[in-house]
Amino acid sequence: MTQKITVIRGDGIGPEIMDATLYVLDQLGAGLEYEFAEAGVAALEKHGDLMPKETLDSIARNTVALKSPLSTPIGGGFTSINVSLRRHFDLYANVRPAISFPNTKSRYENINLITVRENTEGAYLAEGQEVSADGETAISGTRITRKGSERIVRYAFELARSTGRKKVTAVHKANIIKSTSGLFLAVAREVAAKYPDIEFQEMIVDNACMQLVMRPEQFDILVTTNLFGDIISDLCAGLVGGLGLAPGANIGEHAAIFEAVHGTAPDIAGKGIANPCALLLAAAQMLDHIGQPQNAERLRKAIVATLEAKDSLTGDLGGSGTTMGFAQAIATRL
Ligand code: ATP
């Protein structure tokens, strides 16, 4: 049976890494059918809209999208397309695995953790941001809800169960920010009580950052609010060697979008030398999500084996390979 997914080829290096990723997915035989849709600068130039309605309709119809990086023009009052997509589809869970890979620049070799970041509330409110007329005082609000906290913590525990992981750490600052972070922590405790098979740990965010840098192997799944999650997930990407190998998923009840964490890399766009691994790893997350965990594992193992063999690696990984050459080297190891 084939499954149709929406594919957004994106801007900058986006089309190159997407072509490489679709090539590997085809070799994997995942039975995917692609519905191409446009967004970003490519869509603005063609349709006068950064996020055309047809693209939103396509994602709504297929419920799963694989997306390359998009650029939002600076100035002109454009809201970030990624932020708009998360709002439009209420993609409340930002799921970012950080896993050590061989032959990458990393201080550690034994990291295997996932950050689950709440994506829709917390300190990321568009409304209520104010700077006083004299420019001396600025105010912004934070909103945490029981519903928002409950669904993100439940997502983290369900992810632990479905992937055989053993521990969930709730990261907070409830000792100081007693209202918002306090509510998040209280709800996290309530949800944790319903999952006695999974170990639950609480950690204050500053300590969590120190522990992540000193002993990252102790973590399994981290769940936290929007701003802490933003910072921690990039910290974790840095721990395992940077953005070239960092995938991310944005998951809601009715749609899910899988992407590379890095941007459009305009400095190397069009040269065919970008590393396709982050998008390939996002595709592996997508395969897990659509019920193909065995194919997801085959894909991850092929990536690891290619890195281990140092076969056709791209420049960011110390090689001199091309985007498509790297993808072909991965495909031969499926
Ligand atoms: P944007 O404005 O879209 O965020 P950026 O250049 O500011 O673009 P990134 O695209 O994340 O931010 O790139 C940061 C650096 O990492 C650049 O030097 C870029 O070339 C490099 N880089 C990012 N992604 C890749 C990749 N997939 N392969 C190789 N190098 C990459």
Side-chain angles (χ1 to χ4, degrees):
M1 212 185 78
T2 62
Q3 166 142 9
K4 205 186 263 186
I5 62 165
T6 299
V7 172
I8 300 173
R9 295 174 82 240
D11 301 313
I13 58 169
E16 301 158 50
I17 57 173
M18 186 58 83
D19 289 347
T21 299
L22 298 185
Y23 169 79
V24 176
L25 284 174
D26 288 342
Q27 298 300 309
L28 188 65
L32 299 172
E33 197 185 319
Y34 311 124
E35 185 169 285
F36 291 93
E38 276 166 317
V41 170
L44 185 68
E45 282 164 2
K46 229 168 157 180
H47 310 281
D49 192 350
L50 281 171
M51 182 51 68
K53 183 174 176 303
E54 300 84 71
T55 301
L56 294 173
D57 290 346
S58 168
I59 298 171
R61 206 168 37 242
N62 298 322
T63 73
V64 174
L66 186 62
K67 176 177 113 11
S68 268
L70 300 171
S71 44
T72 305
I74 298 166
F78 295 110
T79 317
S80 148
I81 311 170
N82 291 329
V83 173
S84 311
L85 273 175
R86 287 170 196 178
R87 290 218 177 105
H88 184 87
F89 290 107
D90 192 22
L91 305 175
Y92 66 91
N94 181 232
V95 184
R96 298 252 310 249
I99 296 166
S100 301
F101 288 104
N103 292 322
T104 54
K105 279 189 211 131
S106 164
R107 288 170 195 276
Y108 296 98
E109 284 165 5
N110 51 357
I111 300 174
N112 184 357
L113 61 85
I114 302 177
T115 307
V116 177
R117 162 190 173 192
E118 204 294 320
N119 227 358
T120 61
E121 51 181 39
Y124 279 60
L125 301 179
E127 69 270 21
Q129 305 227 16
E130 257 176 60
V131 181
S132 65
D134 61 4
E136 293 296 317
T137 312
I139 300 176
S140 77
T142 301
R143 184 180 61 232
I144 293 289
T145 64
R146 170 168 287 278
K147 179 185 165 218
S149 303
E150 219 167 63
R151 67 180 179 176
I152 196 69
V153 179
R154 204 179 322 114
Y155 185 90
F157 276 96
E158 289 295 331
L159 183 66
R161 267 194 186 157
S162 67
T163 54
R165 288 175 179 267
K166 305 273 180 273
K167 182 163 88 171
V168 172
T169 305
V171 178
H172 66 92
K173 189 77 187 176
N175 52 330
I176 304 292
I177 314 173
K178 295 193 164 72
S179 56
T180 48
S181 209
L183 177 59
F184 172 76
L185 181 61
V187 173
R189 286 175 181 162
E190 286 169 26
V191 174
K194 296 188 184 120
Y195 294 85
D197 49 319
I198 311 283
E199 187 188 340
F200 177 60
Q201 183 185 34
E202 305 170 7
M203 202 174 280
I204 297 173
V205 62
D206 40 351
N207 183 30
C209 289
M210 186 183 71
Q211 296 291 335
L212 274 165
V213 173
M214 294 184 70
R215 283 203 315 117
E217 69 284 357
Q218 68 182 291
F219 293 101
D220 199 345
I221 291 183
L222 295 126
V223 63
T224 189
T225 44
N226 208 338
L227 179 58
F228 297 160
D230 186 23
I231 298 165
I232 282 179
S233 52
D234 264 27
L235 188 161
C236 293
L239 284 176
V240 295
L243 293 177
L245 291 160
N250 294 289
I251 296 177
E253 254 154 54
H254 306 294
I257 300 180
F258 299 84
E259 62 192 359
V261 167
H262 60 72
T264 57
D267 52 336
I268 56 167
K271 296 186 179 160
I273 55 168
N275 178 357
C277 276
L279 191 60
L280 278 163
L281 289 164
Q285 276 186 285
M286 178 185 77
L287 291 169
D288 273 329
H289 181 80
I290 62 174
Q292 296 195 27
Q294 278 135 353
N295 277 337
E297 208 40 39
R298 277 175 64 208
L299 176 52
R300 286 192 193 99
K301 283 197 170 133
I303 293 170
V304 170
T306 310
L307 290 167
E308 229 151 28
K310 293 194 183 174
D311 185 1
S312 310
L313 305 187
T314 44
D316 59 308
L317 297 174
S320 56
T322 62
T323 307
M324 207 31 134
F326 195 6
Q328 282 161 347
I330 292 167
T332 59
R333 292 180 170 85
L334 290 168

